[in-house]
Every structure is written in structure tokens, then in C-alpha cells.
Amino acid sequence: CLDEEGKVHEFSSSWKTDDCNDCTCDRAGISCCTSYMTPVDYDKKKCESIFNQETCSYKVVEKDDHSKECPVHSWVG
């Protein structure tokens, strides 16, 4: 399989992309999906979600004080 960056991958191989996708290669081609969960149920007036590209994860913190995490009741991914 040839990915978007021009790299060749063997059949039955898997890898993580720089933009946090998990990909696999088989005879049908390349299949990719996000490797992280996205917060959807939290207090959006008081809090905000921040994506960390290095860890491929979200953190939900208070808008006025990023040192305080907010509870998240539901995630999707």
C-alpha cells in the first residue's frame, strides 16, 4: 500500500500517522481511523477541550484556569 506521504507499507501492517490516525494495510487498500477519544459531554460554558498532538489525546480544563480539569461525562471515538 502507498500512503498519502508516499511511504510503502506491507500487507497486514499497521502504523500511526503524525496526525494521530491508526492505519492498516491489506489487499483491499489502506484503512485509517482516529486513535483518540473526543470529549462531547462536559460544561462547555465553563470548560474547554485542548488537544495534545504529542500524546494524541484531549484534556478538558476550566477556561479560566487550565490547571483545573473538568469532569467529562461522555467521549466518542
Side-chain angles (χ1 to χ4, degrees):
C1 299
L2 187 64
D3 69 16
E4 293 177 352
E5 297 176 359
K7 295 179 185 174
V8 177
H9 300 272
E10 293 183 16
F11 291 132
S12 302
S13 66
S14 61
W15 65 96
K16 181 175 278 194
T17 65
D18 291 339
D19 59 350
C20 299
N21 286 313
D22 288 327
C23 298
T24 59
C25 167
D26 60 27
R27 295 197 182 278
I30 293 177
S31 175
C32 297
C33 62
T34 58
S35 64
Y36 53 88
M37 302 292 283
T38 302
V40 291
D41 185 9
Y42 60 92
D43 185 347
K44 292 183 174 86
K45 290 182 182 178
K46 180 181 175 184
C47 305
E48 64 183 331
S49 64
I50 299 173
F51 188 72
N52 182 326
Q53 187 75 32
E54 290 182 18
T55 62
C56 295
S57 63
Y58 278 98
K59 187 173 189 177
V60 180
V61 293
E62 291 186 6
K63 291 179 181 179
D64 296 333
D65 185 352
H66 284 186
S67 70
K68 295 181 180 177
E69 288 193 44
C70 296
V72 179
H73 307 290
S74 183
W75 298 77
V76 296

